Tab-separated table of all heavy atoms in Angstrom:
chain	number	residue	atom	x	y	z
A	36	TYR	N	25.358	-82.926	21.515
A	36	TYR	CA	26.041	-81.829	20.844
A	36	TYR	C	26.872	-82.361	19.757
A	36	TYR	O	27.408	-83.487	19.936
A	36	TYR	CB	26.967	-80.942	21.770
A	36	TYR	CG	26.154	-80.279	22.924
A	36	TYR	CD1	25.703	-81.002	24.094
A	36	TYR	CD2	25.727	-78.970	22.775
A	36	TYR	CE1	25.178	-80.247	25.048
A	36	TYR	CE2	25.045	-78.255	23.830
A	36	TYR	CZ	24.765	-78.929	24.984
A	36	TYR	OH	24.125	-78.252	25.945
A	37	ARG	N	27.205	-81.462	18.790
A	37	ARG	CA	28.170	-81.829	17.820
A	37	ARG	C	29.052	-80.772	17.709
A	37	ARG	O	28.893	-79.581	17.878
A	37	ARG	CB	27.359	-81.942	16.347
A	37	ARG	CG	28.172	-82.394	15.282
A	37	ARG	CD	27.364	-82.526	13.989
A	37	ARG	NE	28.252	-82.974	12.887
A	37	ARG	CZ	27.692	-83.323	11.623
A	37	ARG	NH1	26.370	-83.287	11.492
A	37	ARG	NH2	28.450	-83.671	10.695
A	38	GLN	N	30.374	-81.117	17.485
A	38	GLN	CA	31.446	-80.184	17.541
A	38	GLN	C	32.318	-80.358	16.260
A	38	GLN	O	33.065	-81.457	16.259
A	38	GLN	CB	32.367	-80.265	18.800
A	38	GLN	CG	33.329	-79.090	18.937
A	38	GLN	CD	34.209	-79.181	20.086
A	38	GLN	OE1	34.355	-80.274	20.730
A	38	GLN	NE2	34.629	-78.106	20.737
A	39	PHE	N	32.403	-79.418	15.354
A	39	PHE	CA	33.314	-79.536	14.249
A	39	PHE	C	34.734	-79.005	14.748
A	39	PHE	O	34.931	-78.336	15.736
A	39	PHE	CB	32.846	-78.772	13.115
A	39	PHE	CG	31.636	-79.414	12.522
A	39	PHE	CD1	30.335	-78.778	12.711
A	39	PHE	CD2	31.738	-80.416	11.568
A	39	PHE	CE1	29.273	-79.343	12.092
A	39	PHE	CE2	30.580	-81.068	11.087
A	39	PHE	CZ	29.413	-80.505	11.291
A	40	PRO	N	35.771	-79.355	13.948
A	40	PRO	CA	37.102	-79.078	14.389
A	40	PRO	C	37.258	-77.557	14.700
A	40	PRO	O	36.833	-76.686	13.843
A	40	PRO	CB	37.979	-79.509	13.182
A	40	PRO	CG	37.291	-80.694	12.624
A	40	PRO	CD	35.752	-80.232	12.760
A	41	LYS	N	37.887	-77.263	15.747
A	41	LYS	CA	38.261	-75.746	16.099
A	41	LYS	C	36.885	-74.899	16.196
A	41	LYS	O	37.063	-73.718	15.938
A	41	LYS	CB	39.121	-75.155	15.070
A	41	LYS	CG	40.550	-75.968	14.983
A	41	LYS	CD	41.414	-75.347	14.191
A	41	LYS	CE	42.843	-76.070	14.056
A	41	LYS	NZ	43.800	-75.552	13.267
A	42	GLN	N	35.828	-75.661	16.497
A	42	GLN	CA	34.538	-74.893	16.551
A	42	GLN	C	33.912	-74.964	17.910
A	42	GLN	O	34.321	-76.031	18.665
A	42	GLN	CB	33.613	-75.084	15.459
A	42	GLN	CG	34.059	-74.574	14.059
A	42	GLN	CD	32.912	-74.772	13.024
A	42	GLN	OE1	31.800	-74.694	13.249
A	42	GLN	NE2	33.382	-74.922	11.721
A	43	SER	N	32.970	-74.329	18.335
A	43	SER	CA	32.107	-74.518	19.476
A	43	SER	C	31.166	-75.597	19.323
A	43	SER	O	31.050	-76.255	18.237
A	43	SER	CB	31.526	-73.184	19.863
A	43	SER	OG	30.870	-73.338	21.200
A	44	LEU	N	30.517	-75.872	20.506
A	44	LEU	CA	29.564	-77.066	20.494
A	44	LEU	C	28.301	-76.516	19.927
A	44	LEU	O	27.773	-75.364	20.264
A	44	LEU	CB	29.267	-77.564	21.926
A	44	LEU	CG	30.315	-78.558	22.368
A	44	LEU	CD1	31.660	-77.872	22.545
A	44	LEU	CD2	29.739	-79.211	23.674
A	45	MET	N	27.582	-77.452	19.057
A	45	MET	CA	26.289	-76.991	18.582
A	45	MET	C	25.289	-78.019	19.088
A	45	MET	O	25.356	-79.186	18.909
A	45	MET	CB	26.282	-77.069	17.052
A	45	MET	CG	27.352	-76.234	16.394
A	45	MET	SD	26.679	-74.551	16.195
A	45	MET	CE	25.424	-74.653	15.100
A	86	PRO	N	30.442	-89.145	4.891
A	86	PRO	CA	31.715	-88.490	5.337
A	86	PRO	C	31.381	-87.206	6.093
A	86	PRO	O	32.183	-86.780	7.072
A	86	PRO	CB	32.555	-88.408	4.158
A	86	PRO	CG	32.168	-89.530	3.324
A	86	PRO	CD	30.609	-89.763	3.569
A	87	GLU	N	30.473	-86.382	5.639
A	87	GLU	CA	30.104	-85.211	6.323
A	87	GLU	C	29.569	-85.223	7.638
A	87	GLU	O	29.460	-84.193	8.296
A	87	GLU	CB	29.258	-84.225	5.342
A	87	GLU	CG	27.814	-84.972	4.999
A	87	GLU	CD	27.929	-85.697	3.640
A	87	GLU	OE1	28.973	-86.148	3.266
A	87	GLU	OE2	26.885	-85.876	3.103
A	88	ASP	N	29.222	-86.407	8.072
A	88	ASP	CA	28.718	-86.657	9.448
A	88	ASP	C	29.962	-86.833	10.335
A	88	ASP	O	29.784	-86.962	11.655
A	88	ASP	CB	27.762	-87.934	9.592
A	88	ASP	CG	26.603	-87.782	8.649
A	88	ASP	OD1	26.095	-86.700	8.629
A	88	ASP	OD2	26.136	-88.717	8.085
A	89	SER	N	31.045	-86.922	9.807
A	89	SER	CA	32.260	-87.167	10.709
A	89	SER	C	32.342	-85.963	11.587
A	89	SER	O	32.348	-84.836	11.166
A	89	SER	CB	33.530	-87.329	9.821
A	89	SER	OG	33.491	-88.367	8.986
A	90	SER	N	32.522	-86.152	12.855
A	90	SER	CA	32.590	-85.068	13.769
A	90	SER	C	32.874	-85.610	15.164
A	90	SER	O	33.052	-86.825	15.501
A	90	SER	CB	31.123	-84.384	13.957
A	90	SER	OG	31.236	-83.176	14.509
A	91	PHE	N	32.941	-84.767	16.175
A	91	PHE	CA	33.040	-85.097	17.590
A	91	PHE	C	31.700	-84.843	18.153
A	91	PHE	O	31.023	-83.736	18.134
A	91	PHE	CB	34.084	-84.165	18.213
A	91	PHE	CG	34.525	-84.671	19.502
A	91	PHE	CD1	35.095	-85.909	19.714
A	91	PHE	CD2	34.539	-83.708	20.712
A	91	PHE	CE1	35.581	-86.318	20.984
A	91	PHE	CE2	35.076	-84.182	21.861
A	91	PHE	CZ	35.615	-85.506	22.066
A	92	TYR	N	31.071	-85.883	18.737
A	92	TYR	CA	29.764	-85.901	19.328
A	92	TYR	C	29.899	-85.969	20.836
A	92	TYR	O	30.512	-86.938	21.409
A	92	TYR	CB	28.887	-86.989	18.731
A	92	TYR	CG	28.495	-86.851	17.333
A	92	TYR	CD1	29.420	-87.412	16.357
A	92	TYR	CD2	27.404	-86.186	16.872
A	92	TYR	CE1	29.057	-87.200	15.072
A	92	TYR	CE2	27.092	-86.099	15.600
A	92	TYR	CZ	27.987	-86.706	14.612
A	92	TYR	OH	27.726	-86.455	13.331
A	93	ILE	N	29.315	-85.019	21.541
A	93	ILE	CA	29.335	-84.887	23.043
A	93	ILE	C	28.024	-84.952	23.569
A	93	ILE	O	27.057	-84.204	23.174
A	93	ILE	CB	30.014	-83.540	23.416
A	93	ILE	CG1	31.395	-83.532	22.840
A	93	ILE	CG2	30.134	-83.520	24.920
A	93	ILE	CD1	32.187	-82.372	23.211
A	113	THR	N	32.646	-88.610	21.522
A	113	THR	CA	32.825	-89.709	20.659
A	113	THR	C	33.411	-89.089	19.349
A	113	THR	O	32.593	-88.295	18.827
A	113	THR	CB	31.589	-90.502	20.476
A	113	THR	OG1	31.250	-91.063	21.775
A	113	THR	CG2	31.755	-91.555	19.415
A	114	ARG	N	34.498	-89.564	18.889
A	114	ARG	CA	35.068	-89.171	17.595
A	114	ARG	C	34.492	-90.156	16.558
A	114	ARG	O	34.894	-91.283	16.512
A	114	ARG	CB	36.550	-89.151	17.648
A	114	ARG	CG	37.136	-88.941	16.301
A	114	ARG	CD	37.027	-87.524	15.850
A	114	ARG	NE	37.676	-86.558	16.716
A	114	ARG	CZ	37.518	-85.217	16.592
A	114	ARG	NH1	36.637	-84.685	15.725
A	114	ARG	NH2	37.992	-84.425	17.560
A	115	LEU	N	33.597	-89.605	15.591
A	115	LEU	CA	33.169	-90.377	14.533
A	115	LEU	C	33.803	-90.010	13.267
A	115	LEU	O	33.835	-88.932	12.905
A	115	LEU	CB	31.587	-90.166	14.413
A	115	LEU	CG	30.880	-90.830	13.134
A	115	LEU	CD1	31.124	-92.324	13.129
A	115	LEU	CD2	29.544	-90.408	12.985
A	116	THR	N	34.376	-91.109	12.545
A	116	THR	CA	34.972	-90.903	11.291
A	116	THR	C	34.292	-91.807	10.330
A	116	THR	O	34.144	-92.954	10.439
A	116	THR	CB	36.439	-91.218	11.315
A	116	THR	OG1	37.114	-90.358	12.426
A	116	THR	CG2	37.133	-90.906	9.950
B	9	SER	N	39.480	-65.363	19.753
B	9	SER	CA	39.420	-66.733	19.338
B	9	SER	C	40.768	-67.446	19.804
B	9	SER	O	40.768	-68.580	19.948
B	9	SER	CB	39.267	-66.844	17.853
B	9	SER	OG	40.387	-66.091	17.125
B	10	HIS	N	41.863	-66.761	19.835
B	10	HIS	CA	43.269	-67.187	20.274
B	10	HIS	C	43.875	-66.214	21.235
B	10	HIS	O	43.777	-65.029	21.090
B	10	HIS	CB	44.162	-67.383	19.006
B	10	HIS	CG	43.717	-68.362	18.124
B	10	HIS	ND1	42.648	-68.167	17.171
B	10	HIS	CD2	44.032	-69.733	17.917
B	10	HIS	CE1	42.478	-69.255	16.427
B	10	HIS	NE2	43.337	-70.187	16.884
B	38	GLN	N	38.429	-77.495	27.567
B	38	GLN	CA	38.426	-78.632	26.737
B	38	GLN	C	39.853	-78.968	26.183
B	38	GLN	O	40.341	-78.151	25.448
B	38	GLN	CB	37.468	-78.573	25.575
B	38	GLN	CG	37.337	-79.843	24.769
B	38	GLN	CD	36.363	-79.752	23.603
B	38	GLN	OE1	36.240	-78.688	22.976
B	38	GLN	NE2	35.699	-80.772	23.249
B	39	HIS	N	40.455	-80.042	26.551
B	39	HIS	CA	41.600	-80.526	25.970
B	39	HIS	C	41.432	-81.343	24.746
B	39	HIS	O	40.302	-81.866	24.493
B	39	HIS	CB	42.499	-81.276	27.117
B	39	HIS	CG	42.977	-80.450	28.168
B	39	HIS	ND1	44.058	-79.646	28.094
B	39	HIS	CD2	42.454	-80.156	29.415
B	39	HIS	CE1	44.242	-78.971	29.300
B	39	HIS	NE2	43.280	-79.330	30.092
B	40	PRO	N	42.360	-81.419	23.857
B	40	PRO	CA	42.149	-81.992	22.533
B	40	PRO	C	41.554	-83.327	22.634
B	40	PRO	O	42.003	-84.273	23.419
B	40	PRO	CB	43.549	-82.064	21.893
B	40	PRO	CG	44.270	-80.956	22.499
B	40	PRO	CD	43.801	-80.949	23.974
B	41	ASN	N	40.412	-83.579	21.835
B	41	ASN	CA	39.716	-84.892	21.706
B	41	ASN	C	39.191	-85.218	23.076
B	41	ASN	O	39.086	-86.432	23.391
B	41	ASN	CB	40.663	-86.020	21.180
B	41	ASN	CG	40.976	-85.779	19.803
B	41	ASN	OD1	39.959	-85.410	18.879
B	41	ASN	ND2	42.176	-85.715	19.372
B	88	GLU	N	41.306	-75.355	24.975
B	88	GLU	CA	40.310	-74.598	24.502
B	88	GLU	C	39.276	-74.219	25.535
B	88	GLU	O	39.016	-75.120	26.431
B	88	GLU	CB	39.401	-75.288	23.321
B	88	GLU	CG	38.401	-74.517	22.677
B	88	GLU	CD	38.906	-73.562	21.462
B	88	GLU	OE1	40.110	-74.040	20.964
B	88	GLU	OE2	38.140	-72.735	21.065
B	90	PHE	N	35.608	-72.433	27.065
B	90	PHE	CA	34.322	-71.953	26.557
B	90	PHE	C	33.661	-71.315	27.697
B	90	PHE	O	33.583	-71.782	28.745
B	90	PHE	CB	33.525	-73.190	26.215
B	90	PHE	CG	33.953	-73.817	24.877
B	90	PHE	CD1	34.707	-74.962	24.940
B	90	PHE	CD2	33.658	-73.267	23.587
B	90	PHE	CE1	35.088	-75.685	23.764
B	90	PHE	CE2	34.053	-73.986	22.470
B	90	PHE	CZ	34.849	-75.124	22.539
B	105	GLY	N	32.056	-68.885	21.338
B	105	GLY	CA	32.735	-69.447	20.214
B	105	GLY	C	34.011	-70.184	20.532
B	105	GLY	O	34.529	-70.894	19.802
B	106	GLY	N	34.497	-70.036	21.921
B	106	GLY	CA	35.679	-70.729	22.344
B	106	GLY	C	36.811	-69.719	22.134
B	106	GLY	O	36.964	-68.938	21.274
B	108	ARG	N	41.122	-70.384	22.127
B	108	ARG	CA	42.204	-71.277	22.305
B	108	ARG	C	43.377	-70.659	22.947
B	108	ARG	O	43.851	-69.499	22.548
B	108	ARG	CB	42.688	-71.747	20.971
B	108	ARG	CG	43.807	-72.791	20.977
B	108	ARG	CD	44.037	-73.419	19.545
B	108	ARG	NE	42.782	-74.186	19.327
B	108	ARG	CZ	42.571	-75.475	19.666
B	108	ARG	NH1	43.455	-76.036	20.687
B	108	ARG	NH2	41.506	-76.211	19.444
Side-chain angles (χ1 to χ4, degrees):
Chain A
Y36 296 86
R37 184 174 180 176
Q38 185 180 30
F39 289 105
K41 299 183 180 181
Q42 293 190 27
S43 189
L44 278 70
M45 303 278 296
E87 56 265 31
D88 299 325
S89 299
S90 191
F91 195 53
Y92 292 87
I93 301 177
T113 297
R114 171 74 59 194
L115 170 63
T116 303
Chain B
S9 59
H10 293 81
Q38 183 182 33
H39 291 276
N41 292 309
E88 188 84 17
F90 292 99
R108 181 165 298 277

